């Protein structure tokens, strides 16, 4: 909200410069987000009066004006049409520099000498688009500098108000805060106007159907107004506050809204049917065209102002076009009311119509300020639009709000803040805030809070008030004392950090993607999470874009996007991983299932940084190596990577990762359909592992280090192509030779001396005992047993 | 014959000693020790010698061969050493190394992990909660009833009327307090979501929530704790400013600014010329929140705070556009 430093002065003698005032407001919880200086300092631009307007001898569109600027009378050639003799106008004298930088010089225009320029508002940078010359009020003194006449210099404070402080949404509200902060008295300007028109009671009847939705409704009538442009002071004040001038009556209602925080509405009295105002809930299916020309379908949840026949305004939100004040309007019915916060909020939300009025009603206005604002607006309308104010007013306020009385314990205050504040000081702060205090006892105060402070409901709210006025900076600092609870320390984050560090160590870079992906794109892709259907996904009801409407059930979509994004920026050899949550619908729970997943993708070379091995591509076995190293480092008891028959990401080159026989993840090459979708060329390998299933704290019981040497024996087993390595290894392991420590593959060979349809596995077997040094004889015996076992099982034979 | 062997050995030894070039040395080896070398030629004579002389001459021949070989080997090692030294001098050490691929940790993760460490040092445990939440935990239990204007502060993604993407990490307060009795001190890090996207907002971002409940917890302790955190996260010269503010789930509430790390409070673009940068919200836990979780409002006091991790990372690394965190451009990520 914008607040004018100049207008603040009408409520308070504030001598603090705007900058330090802004800081004090900020430190009292009314954050000033910006300070804007308004200056109008054009010099040598004075007020002149047009004496004569003569045609230009050589140009039809120009005129030659004779203008009195006080010390002299000037001849000025002018192109505008909207002026007449006797008009007061701004005259830029020779030497004047206009805001745009244009300097006025003596010149000849189509053969006629011109000694200055009569200016429009646009040329003076006073408004955006006003056509024609700026016509000043008749009373403007001839010869006076325009800048001092307009007196526009001001400082605008941009306040970022929190939603609890409805009472601060006005110039007077802010002035009240400044008064409290600086211990000053607030000025209350007196309002006066004559009531000379026919009495309001005879002109209209007003009825409120449900006073809980409209606790107070007041109105006045002004007869015989003349609708027209607002006076310049009003236009400029509105402009400073960020509002556009519409006409004198509407401008007054807007200005009083900004000044006092009370939303007002002016109806064209003659368009109200049946001389009746009824505040009621809308009927189902009723319609109303609001001032923004939108046709609104109303529901029974909407409170409306109606006349005998129809709704004429959406209460507290926006007026109706049917009773709008226009140039033809003669008689005004002015409304000042208080509507229920929740009802207004629902209506504004329902219609997507958030206005200055609804904003204030939602946050709470001052029930006791309704009449003051009504009178203030009446006074101003009478001043700027003339007419006669009807005698009396209507004020329906059946159940006045009661001021709240709250007990404040000084001990509680001191304990909560960690700062003792003397009782006298507490009392003074309360009084500065406009609260009245009764001493209940030495340690307890009974504080009465005025009704406009909706936000103060209990003791703790008062404690905050005391603290913020005293200043948070006066509260001392200390580190928390007290017990540290550590019954069950969460290891999960440590585990995630370990996982990240492991992948970073291997050369993967971490990405973080949005949790929502495109539901439409997923529909046409192979399943990222086998067994789940896109239509079973979790969709957002109000996504920002359709590209972000589905909660991801796999990290793969984002990781593929990341590869494509970086490819398009000429990056190659992309190794990425992500640790993040994935979501699945839960069959019975209220909330979806959430899984913490690890995903990784690799594209390009095995050793991208090496110019020696630059030609080696990353392969499916490099990917397997990554996973095996990971699971080994993690200390997983038992794991297996088995062919995943149904395929993953549209490729049959894929494995399921089984840890202790439980499926924990998938790995494989990404299929062409998926790559095409993301416009990725080349081979991409991927893995995705459910970390929740792996979250096992590493075993740290140490195994003894062998004291005796190990014996290494190699063998080459030539087996049919159909025999998998896993079968061979498992077959050896199934012999349960206790001194066989390790079986590892060092070669797979085909061709040469190997018969067609066969392959050779080169295996290294490590034999070792923890109790003694093995003899050649016993190792040879066992090794021969292995060879015999393999030849029996797989028709394998040894290769020389 | 013995003399011939003696001669040959001397001749060879001398020649070997005089050689300074590895290639020539090899020629000498062939000359004397090769299959058709001088020694071999002499040896051939042995077969024609009478049987009784063979052992003696044979032994002498072998000794001769050993000696030459030893001389040769010694000289070879000498020359090899010199050669290698020369060769080493010729290596173009300006060639780039065979680089190992090094991964990079996302800046958000780095700031998160740094904050875990700082708070662990201050005695805080880590709690977690779901990213998809019930309206009750995200709003109602935190004293934000339906139709409260404070809901405007949270532009929310909904899945159903009652299920939403959490807009802050504060629901973890409720989960934790419903489970545990005081004293408690926890941080709750994680992703949060708001329906907003521009230069300073992404629809998903990270927060770290912290809360402490005990019998003597005060605003003063909140100030002390956050000051300790900021001094470790930034540096001990950083000043803090506690400004009154409004959150429905704390009272009194504060927003915390730090002196601009770039200009040290002089005023610059980062701090919009104010010298201050807002980094977190905090306050004493509201009695209504204690009521919702069943804590004794008179016996216990608590504070809570919540900070945006992106914001801290922006400040720490001098990043101007928050969206860069989620573009995952390697030219950006590789700088961390």
């Amino acid at each position: 909200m914008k607040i004018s430093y100049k207008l603040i002065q009408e409520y308070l003698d504030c001598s603090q410069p705007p900058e330090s005032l802004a800081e004090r407001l900020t430190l009292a919880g009314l954050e000033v987000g910006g300070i804007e200086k308004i200056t109008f300092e054009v010099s040598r631009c004075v007020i002149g009066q047009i004496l004569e307007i003569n045609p230009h001898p050589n140009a039809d569109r120009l005129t030659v004006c004779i203008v009195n600027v006080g010390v002299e009378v000037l001849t000025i050639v002018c192109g505008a049409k909207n002026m007449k003799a006797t008009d007061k106008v701004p005259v830029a004298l020779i030497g004047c520099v206009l805001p745009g930088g244009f300097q006025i010089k003596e010149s000849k225009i189509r053969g006629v000498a011109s000694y200055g320029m009569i200016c429009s508002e646009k040329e003076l940078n006073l408004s955006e688009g006003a056509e024609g010359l700026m016509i000043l009020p008749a009373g403007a003194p001839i010869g006076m500098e325009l800048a001092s006449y307009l007196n526009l210099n001001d400082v605008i404070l941009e306040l970022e108000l929190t939603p609890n402080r409805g009472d601060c949404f006005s110039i007077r509200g802010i002035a009240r805060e400044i008064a409290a902060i600086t211990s000053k008295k607030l000025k209350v300007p007196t309002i006066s106007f004559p009531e000379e028109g026919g009495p309001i009671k005879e002109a209209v009847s007003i009825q409120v159907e449900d006073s809980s939705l409209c606790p107070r409704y007041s109105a006045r009538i002004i007869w015989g107004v003349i609708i027209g442009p607002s006076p310049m002071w009003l236009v400029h004040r509105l402009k400073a506050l960020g509002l556009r001038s519409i006409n004198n009556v509407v401008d007054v209602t807007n200005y009083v809204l900004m000044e006092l925080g009370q939303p007002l509405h002016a109806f064209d009295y003659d368009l109200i049917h049946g001389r009746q105002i009824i505040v009621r809930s809308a009927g189902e299916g009723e319609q109303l065209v609001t001032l923004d020309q939108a046709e609104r379908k109303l529901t029974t949840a909407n409170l409306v102002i109606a006349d005998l026949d129809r709704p004429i305004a959406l209460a507290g939100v926006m007026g109706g076009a049917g009773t709008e004040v226009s140039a033809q309007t003669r008689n005004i019915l002015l409304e000042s009311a208080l509507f229920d916060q929740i009802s207004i909020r629902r209506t504004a939300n329902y219609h997507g119509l958030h206005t200055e009025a609804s904003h204030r009603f939602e946050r709470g206005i001052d029930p006791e300020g309704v009449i003051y604002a009504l009178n203030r607006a009446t006074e101003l309308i009478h001043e700027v639009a003339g007419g006669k104010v009807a005698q009396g007013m209507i004020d329906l306020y059946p159940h006045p709000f009661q001021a709240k009385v709250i007990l404040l314990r000084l001990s509680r205050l001191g304990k909560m803040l960690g700062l003792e504040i003397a009782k006298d000081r507490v009392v003074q702060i309360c009084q500065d805030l406009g609260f009245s205090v009764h001493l209940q006892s030495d340690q307890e105060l009974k504080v009465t809070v005025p009704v406009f402070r909706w936000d103060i409901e209990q003791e703790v709210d008062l404690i905050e008030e005391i603290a913020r006025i005293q200043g948070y900076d006066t509260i001392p600092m200390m580190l928390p004392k007290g017990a540290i609870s550590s019954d069950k320390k969460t290891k999960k984050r440590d585990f995630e950090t370990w996982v990240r560090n492991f992948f970073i160590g291997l050369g993967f870079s971490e990405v973080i993607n949005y949790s929502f992906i495109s539901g439409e794109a997923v529909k046409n892709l192979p399943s990222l999470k086998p067994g789940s259907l896109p239509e079973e996904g979790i969709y957002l009801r109000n996504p920002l874009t359709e590209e972000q409407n589905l909660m991801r059930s796999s990290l793969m979509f984002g990781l593929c996007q990341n590869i494509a994004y970086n490819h398009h920026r000429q990056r190659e050899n992309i190794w990425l991983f992500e640790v993040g949550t994935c979501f699945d619908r839960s069959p019975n729970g209220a909330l979806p299932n959430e899984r913490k997943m690890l995903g990784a993708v690799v594209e390009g070379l095995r050793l991208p940084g090496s110019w020696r091995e630059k030609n080696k591509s990353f392969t499916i076995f490099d990917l397997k190596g990554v996973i095996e190293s990971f699971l080994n480092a993690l200390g997983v008891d038992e794991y297996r990577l088995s062919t995943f028959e149904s395929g993953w990401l549209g490729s049959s080159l894929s494995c399921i990762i089984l840890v202790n026989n439980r499926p924990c993840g998938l790995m494989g090459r990404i299929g062409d359909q998926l790559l095409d979708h993301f416009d990725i060329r080349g081979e991409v390998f991927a893995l995705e592992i459910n970390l929740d299933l792996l979250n096992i704290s590493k075993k740290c019981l140490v195994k003894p280090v062998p004291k005796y040497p190990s014996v290494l024996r190699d063998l080459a087993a030539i087996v049919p192509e159909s025999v998998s390595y896993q079968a061979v290894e498992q077959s050896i392991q199934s012999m349960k030779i206790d001194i066989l420590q390790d079986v590892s593959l060092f070669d797979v060979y085909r061709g040469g001396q190997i018969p067609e349809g066969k392959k050779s596995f080169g295996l290294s077997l490590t034999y070792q005992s923890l109790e003694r040094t093995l003899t050649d004889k016993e190792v040879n015996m066992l090794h021969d047993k292995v060879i015999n076992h393999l030849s029996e099982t797989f028709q394998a034979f040894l290769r020389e | 014959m013995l003399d011939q062997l003696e001669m040959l050995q001397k001749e060879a030894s001398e020649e070997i000693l005089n050689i300074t070039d590895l290639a020539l040395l090899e020629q000498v080896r062939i000359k004397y020790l090769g299959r058709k070398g001088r020694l071999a030629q002499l040896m051939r004579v042995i077969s024609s010698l009478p049987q009784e002389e063979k052992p003696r001459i044979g032994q002498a021949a072998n000794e001769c061969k050993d000696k030459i070989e030893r001389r040769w080997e010694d000289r070879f090692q000498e020359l090899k050493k010199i050669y290698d030294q020369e060769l080493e001098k010729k290596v173009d050490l300006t060639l780039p190394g065979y680089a190992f691929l090094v991964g990079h940790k996302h800046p958000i993760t780095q700031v998160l992990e740094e904050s875990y460490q700082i708070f662990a040092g201050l005695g805080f445990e880590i709690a977690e909660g779901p990213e998809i939440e019930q309206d009750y935990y995200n709003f109602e239990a935190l004293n934000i009833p339906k139709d409260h204007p404070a809901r405007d502060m949270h532009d929310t993604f909904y899945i159903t009327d009652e299920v939403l993407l959490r807009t802050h990490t504060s629901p973890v307060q409720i989960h934790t307090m419903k489970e545990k009795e005081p004293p408690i001190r926890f941080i709750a890090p994680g992703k949060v979501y708001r329906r907003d996207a521009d230069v300073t907002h992404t629809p998903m971002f990270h927060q770290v929530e912290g809360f402490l409940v005990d019998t003597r917890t005060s605003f003063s302790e909140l100030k002390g704790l956050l000051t300790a955190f900021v001094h470790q996260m930034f540096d001990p010269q950083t000043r803090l400013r506690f400004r009154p503010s409004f959150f429905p789930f704390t009272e009194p509430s504060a927003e915390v600014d730090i002196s601009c790390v770039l200009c040290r409070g002089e005023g610059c673009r980062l701090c919009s010329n104010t010298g201050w940068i807002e980094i977190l919200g905090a306050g004493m836990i509201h009695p209504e929140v204690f009521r919702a979780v069943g804590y004794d409002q008179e016996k216990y006091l608590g504070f809570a705070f919540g900070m945006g991790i992106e914001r801290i990372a922006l400040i720490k690394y001098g990043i101007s556009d928050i969206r860069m965190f989620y573009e995952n451009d390697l030219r950006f990520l590789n700088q961390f």
Side-chain angles (χ1 to χ4, degrees), chain A residues 26 346 412 416 464 472 475-477 485 490 493 501 508 510 512 515 541-542 566 581 594 611, chain B residues 96 104-105 109 116 125-126 128 131-132 147 156 158 161 193 195 219-220 223 251 253 297 328 330:
Chain A
T26 297
R346 285 185 183 161
R412 186 75 180 169
M416 181 171 265
E464 180 178 70
Y472 283 0
I475 298 173
M477 284 191 287
S485 61
T490 318
R493 286 283 165 168
N501 289 344
F508 290 83
E510 188 188 16
I512 301 179
S515 301
R541 210 172 60 186
N542 58 338
N566 284 290
T581 307
E594 298 189 12
W611 42 274
Chain B
H104 300 268
K105 196 173 269 187
T109 307
Y116 305 157
E125 294 175 67
I126 296 179
E128 289 192 318
E131 291 174 33
I132 299 183
D147 300 310
T156 311
Y158 284 94
D161 279 345
Y193 303 86
R195 218 177 157 278
F219 198 91
S220 170
K223 282 185 74 174
E251 188 87 14
S253 301
Q297 299 171 46
N328 295 307
L330 283 167

Side-chain angles (χ1 to χ4, degrees), chain A residues 486-548:
Chain A
S486 53
D487 44 353
K488 224 192 241 172
K489 193 161 172 1
T490 318
K491 293 277 185 203
K492 209 172 157 197
R493 286 283 165 168
D494 291 348
F495 174 64
E496 279 175 30
T497 300
W498 184 90
V499 170
R500 286 190 171 93
N501 289 344
F502 185 89
F503 274 80
I504 286 165
L506 288 184
F508 290 83
S509 284
E510 188 188 16
V511 296
I512 301 179
N513 284 297
Y514 289 139
S515 301
F516 18 65
I517 59 177
S518 162
E520 191 53 42
V522 168
K523 265 182 212 158
N524 304 314
L525 292 176
S527 179
L528 304 174
K529 181 177 173 273
S532 73
L533 298 168
E535 53 272 23
E536 287 172 356
I538 298 156
Y539 286 87
L540 296 179
R541 210 172 60 186
N542 58 338
L544 265 179
T545 75
E546 291 303 309
E547 297 291 296
Q548 302 178 339

Side-chain angles (χ1 to χ4, degrees), chain A residues 627-689:
Chain A
I627 295 168
E628 287 164 355
S629 310
F630 172 65
L631 295 174
N632 286 337
L634 198 59
V636 167
D637 290 337
E638 192 267 313
Y639 65 84
R640 212 153 23 99
L641 277 65
S642 308
T643 309
F644 186 54
E645 300 296 342
S646 46
W648 184 45
L649 305 176
S651 157
S652 55
L653 200 58
S654 54
C655 288
I656 184 162
I657 303 165
L658 298 152
V659 173
N660 296 327
N661 277 322
R662 185 158 64 155
C664 282
L666 294 165
M667 57 150 273
R669 186 166 60 83
I670 299 184
D672 292 341
Q673 195 192 345
L674 205 57
L675 295 184
D676 287 347
H677 174 82
F678 291 104
D679 192 21
I680 300 169
R681 287 167 305 284
E683 276 195 315
V684 182
F685 297 94
L687 68 89
E688 190 162 26
I689 295 175

